[in-house]
Amino acid sequence: MHAVNNTKKLKFIVVTGGVLSGLGKGVAAASIGKLLSSKLKIVPMKLDGYLNVDPGTMNPIEHGEVFVLDDGGEVDMDFGHYERFINTTCKFEWNLTMGKVFTEIRERERKGDYLGKTVQFVPHVVDLIKEKFFQVAEKENADLMLIEVGGTVGDIENEPYIEAVRQLKSDVGSENILYVHLTYVPIPGGVNEQKTKPTQQSVKMLTERGIQPDVIIGRSPEKLGDNVKEKIACFCGLKRNEVISGVDVDSVYKIPLIFEMEGLSGIIHKKLQIYSPPDLREWQVLVDNLNNLKESITIAICGKYTNLEDSYASINEALMHCSAQTKHKIDLKFIETTNIENGDISIQEALQGVNGVIIPGGFGDRGTEGKIEVIKHCREQKIPFLGICLGLQLAVVEYARNVCELYKANSSEIDKNTLYPVVDFLPEQRKIENKGGTMRLGSYKAILKEGSLAKKLYKSEFVWERHRHRYEVNPDYHQILQNNGLVISGISPDERLAEFIEIDDHPYFIATQSHPELKSKLIKPAPLFLGLVNSVISRKSPLLK
Ligand code: GLN
């Protein structure tokens, strides 16, 4: 069955990438969304070519951060950009993966939906992909669907997506769809001029597949020269103003402003016959702040995937949001805690010049003893500390060992045989065998304790944050921890799960089982992150240079 567009006014923008990966297609798509979101209901969809159903089972070093949605969906990091730029709460079904597509094709085939037919890429796989676009658009009552095709044109795994978005043009009419192609315009060393050939070749690959781009964004270390735009336009069949500069920037939040200066929203309005004037005033003020940062502070992120900053993408973004709000430059120091536990580096050396510490989420035991040492040091030396997910669990382990005197207390994730499993599997997790999609995932409510730091920071009696974990603070130990001074400042509505902990008599020591970085926005930084940064700034610590 061919997909049909019933929603007459529905418009599509398709973003493809060429030349090489890592050019910022997700940010480009999100920025386009930002420019158009003042009056339109925009639904972003990301099409990933991999055969995993979702990225939940991938190593962050391989894939970057796994972003978690309110509905518990584990998705590509690009959804982080969509939510931070476009005022929307994304859903799991807005992420197509070949894993999902083929699972459904196989299910339909087994059910007999294709009885008598040979199941083929065209039409069956491509039709299923298009069906998903229209289903989501209809369900969300979208005005505009923003489709980002993963990878670069020519990748084998993305060909069915390219064919699907090509066919869309005849399904919805050329006046309802616009194709944006992001390419790379390098300035090779020694040549010192912007080279357009990679763009020409990548557009050629796209047109061979039947897609003529309406807009080309040329990512380059510098703004594209007029002659360069002219040349790209000439070779690729566009007008000069339809070639946009995607200049390298130090902050992704500048991209919508740059696109706007290049006239992108005007081109889109004209082609798609829509009008949704960008409202960038507040955004502009915060970006201006980022351009005028005062003195700097240093925040350490103690993890184990530290060789890839993408592993902690949302934490970096949350700190960037705090930077814009507080007008302080935040230098990040990534600390590999395995080096501390191996004795390669002392705590003092590792934390040299550090004003505040974040222990982010993580899995497995590697580096955990080093993190526990860092937490002890922060607690005792009164260094501002924020623990996230595993960071909370290890703060509890540290407190149990060193304050409650529970000898060698641990999380059962790290030591199965510990005498004191202060962090443990929940009974309902024990019977689960599959690894994919089976954690405690998505948005959960926590009730915040009267008079606590958590409540002060959130300015609310309860809060919804997103989760991604299997282990919990063991309820059997809540009382003993509290008797020894640990404050459980946020608890699940059934009062079983510790969602936030903190300690008194410390400038800033707080941790949460959730991932508040996932909901942080430029306009509204995550309260626990802002609290950490403000505490460092106001502390006037001798450490603060
Ligand atoms: N590994 C821990 C758990 O599964 C923490 C997970 C995390 O930090 N996201 O509970």
Side-chain angles (χ1 to χ4, degrees), residues 361-364 388-390 393 413 468-471 515:
F363 293 83
I388 294 169
C389 204
L390 180 67
Q393 297 173 356
E413 180 182 14
R468 182 173 188 256
H469 58 109
R470 285 200 169 81
Y471 294 81
H515 287 275

Side-chain angles (χ1 to χ4, degrees), residues 15 56 88 94 103-104 122 169 207 286 289 342 354 463:
V15 181
T88 185
W94 302 1
T103 303
E104 191 158 340
V122 182
K169 189 168 185 165
T207 50
L286 292 161
N289 285 356
N342 296 342
V354 166
V463 63

Side-chain angles (χ1 to χ4, degrees), residues 293-305:
L293 297 177
K294 294 188 284 196
E295 71 246 69
S296 53
I297 61 169
T298 300
I299 303 280
I301 299 183
C302 304
K304 70 171 175 179
Y305 306 119

